[in-house]
PDB file of all heavy atoms in Angstrom:
ATOM      1  N   LEU A 182      50.254 179.507  34.756  1.00  0.00           N
ATOM      2  CA  LEU A 182      49.402 179.628  33.580  1.00  0.00           C
ATOM      3  C   LEU A 182      50.226 179.930  32.333  1.00  0.00           C
ATOM      4  O   LEU A 182      49.954 179.374  31.254  1.00  0.00           O
ATOM      5  CB  LEU A 182      48.345 180.713  33.786  1.00  0.00           C
ATOM      6  CG  LEU A 182      47.399 180.965  32.611  1.00  0.00           C
ATOM      7  CD1 LEU A 182      46.660 179.694  32.210  1.00  0.00           C
ATOM      8  CD2 LEU A 182      46.406 182.083  32.938  1.00  0.00           C
ATOM      9  N   ALA A 183      51.240 180.786  32.463  1.00  0.00           N
ATOM     10  CA  ALA A 183      52.099 181.083  31.316  1.00  0.00           C
ATOM     11  C   ALA A 183      52.814 179.824  30.848  1.00  0.00           C
ATOM     12  O   ALA A 183      52.911 179.545  29.644  1.00  0.00           O
ATOM     13  CB  ALA A 183      53.109 182.164  31.686  1.00  0.00           C
ATOM     14  N   PHE A 184      53.314 179.043  31.795  1.00  0.00           N
ATOM     15  CA  PHE A 184      53.954 177.765  31.460  1.00  0.00           C
ATOM     16  C   PHE A 184      52.963 176.830  30.790  1.00  0.00           C
ATOM     17  O   PHE A 184      53.256 176.210  29.752  1.00  0.00           O
ATOM     18  CB  PHE A 184      54.501 177.134  32.740  1.00  0.00           C
ATOM     19  CG  PHE A 184      54.991 175.726  32.579  1.00  0.00           C
ATOM     20  CD1 PHE A 184      56.291 175.475  32.144  1.00  0.00           C
ATOM     21  CD2 PHE A 184      54.169 174.645  32.866  1.00  0.00           C
ATOM     22  CE1 PHE A 184      56.741 174.161  32.001  1.00  0.00           C
ATOM     23  CE2 PHE A 184      54.605 173.342  32.725  1.00  0.00           C
ATOM     24  CZ  PHE A 184      55.905 173.096  32.289  1.00  0.00           C
ATOM     25  N   HIS A 185      51.785 176.716  31.374  1.00  0.00           N
ATOM     26  CA  HIS A 185      50.740 175.826  30.866  1.00  0.00           C
ATOM     27  C   HIS A 185      50.377 176.171  29.423  1.00  0.00           C
ATOM     28  O   HIS A 185      50.282 175.291  28.560  1.00  0.00           O
ATOM     29  CB  HIS A 185      49.516 175.951  31.777  1.00  0.00           C
ATOM     30  CG  HIS A 185      48.392 175.036  31.443  1.00  0.00           C
ATOM     31  ND1 HIS A 185      48.393 173.703  31.763  1.00  0.00           N
ATOM     32  CD2 HIS A 185      47.195 175.279  30.812  1.00  0.00           C
ATOM     33  CE1 HIS A 185      47.259 173.157  31.352  1.00  0.00           C
ATOM     34  NE2 HIS A 185      46.520 174.091  30.765  1.00  0.00           N
ATOM     35  N   ARG A 186      50.194 177.452  29.155  1.00  0.00           N
ATOM     36  CA  ARG A 186      49.824 177.887  27.807  1.00  0.00           C
ATOM     37  C   ARG A 186      50.925 177.572  26.793  1.00  0.00           C
ATOM     38  O   ARG A 186      50.643 177.115  25.681  1.00  0.00           O
ATOM     39  CB  ARG A 186      49.538 179.383  27.803  1.00  0.00           C
ATOM     40  CG  ARG A 186      48.311 179.782  28.577  1.00  0.00           C
ATOM     41  CD  ARG A 186      48.078 181.271  28.579  1.00  0.00           C
ATOM     42  NE  ARG A 186      47.701 181.740  27.249  1.00  0.00           N
ATOM     43  CZ  ARG A 186      47.090 182.892  27.014  1.00  0.00           C
ATOM     44  NH1 ARG A 186      46.809 183.696  28.036  1.00  0.00           N
ATOM     45  NH2 ARG A 186      46.761 183.244  25.799  1.00  0.00           N
ATOM     46  N   GLN A 187      52.162 177.820  27.166  1.00  0.00           N
ATOM     47  CA  GLN A 187      53.254 177.601  26.213  1.00  0.00           C
ATOM     48  C   GLN A 187      53.491 176.121  25.943  1.00  0.00           C
ATOM     49  O   GLN A 187      53.678 175.713  24.793  1.00  0.00           O
ATOM     50  CB  GLN A 187      54.538 178.250  26.738  1.00  0.00           C
ATOM     51  CG  GLN A 187      54.530 179.762  26.693  1.00  0.00           C
ATOM     52  CD  GLN A 187      55.880 180.349  27.072  1.00  0.00           C
ATOM     53  OE1 GLN A 187      56.902 180.058  26.441  1.00  0.00           O
ATOM     54  NE2 GLN A 187      55.888 181.168  28.110  1.00  0.00           N
ATOM     55  N   LEU A 188      53.493 175.311  27.012  1.00  0.00           N
ATOM     56  CA  LEU A 188      53.801 173.888  26.819  1.00  0.00           C
ATOM     57  C   LEU A 188      52.645 173.149  26.160  1.00  0.00           C
ATOM     58  O   LEU A 188      52.842 172.394  25.207  1.00  0.00           O
ATOM     59  CB  LEU A 188      54.151 173.242  28.154  1.00  0.00           C
ATOM     60  CG  LEU A 188      54.711 171.817  28.062  1.00  0.00           C
ATOM     61  CD1 LEU A 188      55.992 171.792  27.247  1.00  0.00           C
ATOM     62  CD2 LEU A 188      54.968 171.237  29.448  1.00  0.00           C
ATOM     63  N   LEU A 189      51.425 173.370  26.651  1.00  0.00           N
ATOM     64  CA  LEU A 189      50.277 172.677  26.067  1.00  0.00           C
ATOM     65  C   LEU A 189      49.932 173.241  24.702  1.00  0.00           C
ATOM     66  O   LEU A 189      49.393 172.536  23.844  1.00  0.00           O
ATOM     67  CB  LEU A 189      49.070 172.785  27.006  1.00  0.00           C
ATOM     68  CG  LEU A 189      47.888 171.848  26.721  1.00  0.00           C
ATOM     69  CD1 LEU A 189      48.329 170.392  26.743  1.00  0.00           C
ATOM     70  CD2 LEU A 189      46.778 172.080  27.743  1.00  0.00           C
ATOM     71  N   GLY A 190      50.268 174.493  24.470  1.00  0.00           N
ATOM     72  CA  GLY A 190      49.962 175.104  23.182  1.00  0.00           C
ATOM     73  C   GLY A 190      50.981 174.815  22.098  1.00  0.00           C
ATOM     74  O   GLY A 190      50.761 175.160  20.938  1.00  0.00           O
ATOM     75  N   GLY A 191      52.084 174.164  22.453  1.00  0.00           N
ATOM     76  CA  GLY A 191      53.113 173.854  21.463  1.00  0.00           C
ATOM     77  C   GLY A 191      52.777 172.617  20.653  1.00  0.00           C
ATOM     78  O   GLY A 191      52.045 171.735  21.097  1.00  0.00           O
ATOM     79  N   HIS A 192      53.320 172.543  19.451  1.00  0.00           N
ATOM     80  CA  HIS A 192      53.067 171.393  18.580  1.00  0.00           C
ATOM     81  C   HIS A 192      54.094 170.280  18.761  1.00  0.00           C
ATOM     82  O   HIS A 192      53.876 169.153  18.329  1.00  0.00           O
ATOM     83  CB  HIS A 192      53.058 171.837  17.112  1.00  0.00           C
ATOM     84  CG  HIS A 192      51.971 172.818  16.783  1.00  0.00           C
ATOM     85  ND1 HIS A 192      50.634 172.489  16.853  1.00  0.00           N
ATOM     86  CD2 HIS A 192      52.015 174.119  16.407  1.00  0.00           C
ATOM     87  CE1 HIS A 192      49.900 173.535  16.519  1.00  0.00           C
ATOM     88  NE2 HIS A 192      50.715 174.544  16.254  1.00  0.00           N
ATOM     89  N   GLU A 193      55.215 170.616  19.398  1.00  0.00           N
ATOM     90  CA  GLU A 193      56.265 169.618  19.581  1.00  0.00           C
ATOM     91  C   GLU A 193      55.936 168.717  20.773  1.00  0.00           C
ATOM     92  O   GLU A 193      55.033 169.004  21.562  1.00  0.00           O
ATOM     93  CB  GLU A 193      57.611 170.306  19.813  1.00  0.00           C
ATOM     94  CG  GLU A 193      57.721 171.068  21.131  1.00  0.00           C
ATOM     95  CD  GLU A 193      57.133 172.466  21.086  1.00  0.00           C
ATOM     96  OE1 GLU A 193      56.584 172.851  20.027  1.00  0.00           O
ATOM     97  OE2 GLU A 193      57.213 173.184  22.109  1.00  0.00           O
ATOM     98  N   VAL A 194      56.671 167.594  20.878  1.00  0.00           N
ATOM     99  CA  VAL A 194      56.508 166.717  22.031  1.00  0.00           C
ATOM    100  C   VAL A 194      56.880 167.485  23.292  1.00  0.00           C
ATOM    101  O   VAL A 194      57.889 168.187  23.341  1.00  0.00           O
ATOM    102  CB  VAL A 194      57.404 165.467  21.888  1.00  0.00           C
ATOM    103  CG1 VAL A 194      57.387 164.641  23.173  1.00  0.00           C
ATOM    104  CG2 VAL A 194      56.947 164.620  20.709  1.00  0.00           C
ATOM    105  N   ALA A 195      56.057 167.381  24.299  1.00  0.00           N
ATOM    106  CA  ALA A 195      56.343 168.032  25.578  1.00  0.00           C
ATOM    107  C   ALA A 195      57.257 167.120  26.387  1.00  0.00           C
ATOM    108  O   ALA A 195      56.838 166.067  26.870  1.00  0.00           O
ATOM    109  CB  ALA A 195      55.045 168.297  26.341  1.00  0.00           C
ATOM    110  N   ASP A 196      58.515 167.504  26.507  1.00  0.00           N
ATOM    111  CA  ASP A 196      59.467 166.719  27.283  1.00  0.00           C
ATOM    112  C   ASP A 196      60.148 167.616  28.310  1.00  0.00           C
ATOM    113  O   ASP A 196      59.895 168.827  28.380  1.00  0.00           O
ATOM    114  CB  ASP A 196      60.484 166.030  26.380  1.00  0.00           C
ATOM    115  CG  ASP A 196      61.279 167.000  25.519  1.00  0.00           C
ATOM    116  OD1 ASP A 196      61.274 168.224  25.798  1.00  0.00           O
ATOM    117  OD2 ASP A 196      61.914 166.545  24.542  1.00  0.00           O
ATOM    118  N   ALA A 197      61.015 167.025  29.123  1.00  0.00           N
ATOM    119  CA  ALA A 197      61.641 167.773  30.213  1.00  0.00           C
ATOM    120  C   ALA A 197      62.461 168.944  29.700  1.00  0.00           C
ATOM    121  O   ALA A 197      62.458 170.027  30.297  1.00  0.00           O
ATOM    122  CB  ALA A 197      62.495 166.834  31.057  1.00  0.00           C
ATOM    123  N   ALA A 198      63.170 168.735  28.601  1.00  0.00           N
ATOM    124  CA  ALA A 198      64.015 169.806  28.066  1.00  0.00           C
ATOM    125  C   ALA A 198      63.180 171.019  27.677  1.00  0.00           C
ATOM    126  O   ALA A 198      63.524 172.166  28.005  1.00  0.00           O
ATOM    127  CB  ALA A 198      64.812 169.292  26.872  1.00  0.00           C
TER     128      ALA A 198
END
Side-chain angles (χ1 to χ4, degrees):
L182 179 57
F184 171 85
H185 184 77
R186 293 179 69 161
Q187 289 187 58
L188 189 60
L189 194 58
H192 297 295
E193 68 277 2
V194 172
D196 58 15

